[in-house]
Amino acid sequence: MVGILSCECIIYEASSLKEKRAVVKRIIQRLKNKLNVSVAELDFQDAWQRTKIGVACISSNRMMTEKELASAIRMIDSFPEIERTITTVDWF
């Protein structure tokens, strides 16, 4: 089972692309290090207060994939610098 999570987020405190990228890079690194997922910034690379983060997980059953993606959402929400706005999950 493959689960793909995409989260649009707003970074209110970022006043430049450099500040935004520092926050996004830290989020992506923590997700990669702590969870068994693949992560990338999908959209809004040139917007300094918006980002879209994609997380993909694959496992033998849907329950394990759901658990890993739920952990990813909790971890993204644990960062006080960002607010998650639109979240979608696709299953394959």
Side-chain angles (χ1 to χ4, degrees):
M1 179 59 53
V2 177
I4 299 175
L5 168 73
S6 76
C7 298
E8 285 190 32
C9 302
I10 299 174
I11 307 168
Y12 292 110
E13 300 296 319
S15 59
S16 68
L17 283 175
K18 187 175 182 179
E19 289 178 8
K20 174 212 169 184
R21 289 189 179 124
V23 171
V24 172
K25 185 177 179 180
R26 197 169 70 242
I27 293 168
I28 288 173
Q29 273 307 119
R30 184 150 325 144
L31 286 166
K32 285 181 180 179
N33 289 340
K34 300 285 184 185
L35 301 174
N36 189 20
V37 295
S38 296
V39 187
E41 184 178 13
L42 301 178
D43 204 357
F44 308 113
Q45 284 90 351
D46 294 330
W48 49 275
Q49 286 192 322
R50 288 183 74 189
T51 188
K52 186 173 191 178
I53 298 173
V55 181
C57 181
I58 186 168
S59 70
S60 60
N61 63 25
R62 185 175 175 140
M63 192 172 86
M64 290 301 297
T65 304
E66 285 178 356
K67 182 179 175 185
E68 205 71 12
L69 293 179
S71 295
I73 290 172
R74 280 193 305 276
M75 191 172 292
I76 290 169
D77 288 343
S78 73
F79 287 88
E81 303 91 18
I82 66 167
E83 178 183 340
R84 186 170 47 89
T85 56
I86 300 171
T87 304
T88 59
V89 179
D90 295 312
W91 299 99
F92 301 97

